[in-house]
Amino acid sequence: MDLYLNYKLKMKKSILIIGRGSSGLRFVKNLEKKFNILNVPSRKFRKSLLKKLYFDLIIISSPASFHVEHLLLCKNYADNFLIEKPLTNSLNNLKKIKNIKKKNFFVNHNLRELEIIKNLKRVLNSLKNKGSLNYCSVHCGYNLKYWRKKNINKTVAYSKKLGGGALLELSHELDLIFNFFGKPTNIRSTAKNLSKSVKDVEDILISNMYYAKKKILINLNLNFLDNYKKRYFEFVYSNCNIFVDLAKHKITIIKNNNQKVMKFKDNLSDTYKIIPTKILNKDYKNLCGFKESIKVFKFIFDVKNSIK
């Protein structure tokens, strides 16, 4: 009842969080001290629960297959919406949300808010006229038995119906590729189910992307197989290499056998507070808004459709 009382008195801004999975609970943990939070399990969410309330922000952190359904149910109960990535699990769902653009609508591609990524963009911009980029290697892998504490076979990541699989679950890397380079000219991909514990979805995706105009090749590996956390970008220029280790929070620039190391104190969990706060403060810099989120999602499905 505190939420309803405080909402009416305007003592604090109110946020509805739909979903109590790992990301939903992370939002709750990071926001509950500063805002009034109403957290509803995705399977129990009904329009009738909203009564006559109007929220400052609605965060949809349900399984990807329910994102659009939940967005349409609550579209008239807030002006600001944040959807956990990926936007949805189907291209057909995009047609249903074409009018949502009248609202402030964002997708939680939260790696953009890390200081290591912001500094990486500055480094890449500084090298534009100092050497040509030949190729980039991108890798994100970690075995779900270490990543998820509960029975991994019951997680969204392992459910095709709920929008799981390495491609959608690890799509942050695709958002960054699109953010850095745009849409590739050609994409060729392979996706397989290699482990005995996964039956319903791909646990590894390997993709090669070519940008004809820029003459850049990108190799992408997304998997649930690695037995230690590997998350990196490596940019190979004509005169230097840039290795971005997202797991160890550092950028290493290698040139003429000399190394320059930049270290960062990023905490990904903090972005679950930073992004909602930015939206409420109308600070939209770096955020993935409606038009861009559609382009990113279509790019993700370009990769999916390139699987042979």
Side-chain angles (χ1 to χ4, degrees), residues 234 239-243 252-260:
E234 184 168 20
N239 58 350
C240 69
N241 278 32
I242 301 172
F243 189 81
T252 304
I253 302 174
I254 305 167
K255 186 175 183 179
N256 298 327
N257 291 323
N258 295 316
Q259 294 188 9
K260 177 183 177 181

Side-chain angles (χ1 to χ4, degrees), residues 253-289:
I253 302 174
I254 305 167
K255 186 175 183 179
N256 298 327
N257 291 323
N258 295 316
Q259 294 188 9
K260 177 183 177 181
V261 179
M262 305 164 65
K263 295 182 179 180
F264 303 89
K265 296 182 179 180
D266 283 318
N267 185 343
L268 190 62
S269 182
D270 290 342
T271 65
Y272 287 80
K273 175 170 60 178
I274 292 169
I275 292 177
T277 303
K278 285 182 67 172
I279 293 171
L280 291 172
N281 289 335
K282 299 182 179 181
D283 175 10
Y284 307 137
K285 186 178 180 181
N286 291 328
L287 301 185
C288 186

Side-chain angles (χ1 to χ4, degrees), residues 6-7 13 20 104-105 121 148 180 220 241 275-276 278 281 286:
N6 284 333
Y7 174 81
K13 289 187 175 181
R20 287 184 181 172
N104 288 324
F105 173 102
K121 293 183 81 170
R148 300 289 194 230
F180 293 152
L220 170 70
N241 278 32
I275 292 177
K278 285 182 67 172
N281 289 335
N286 291 328

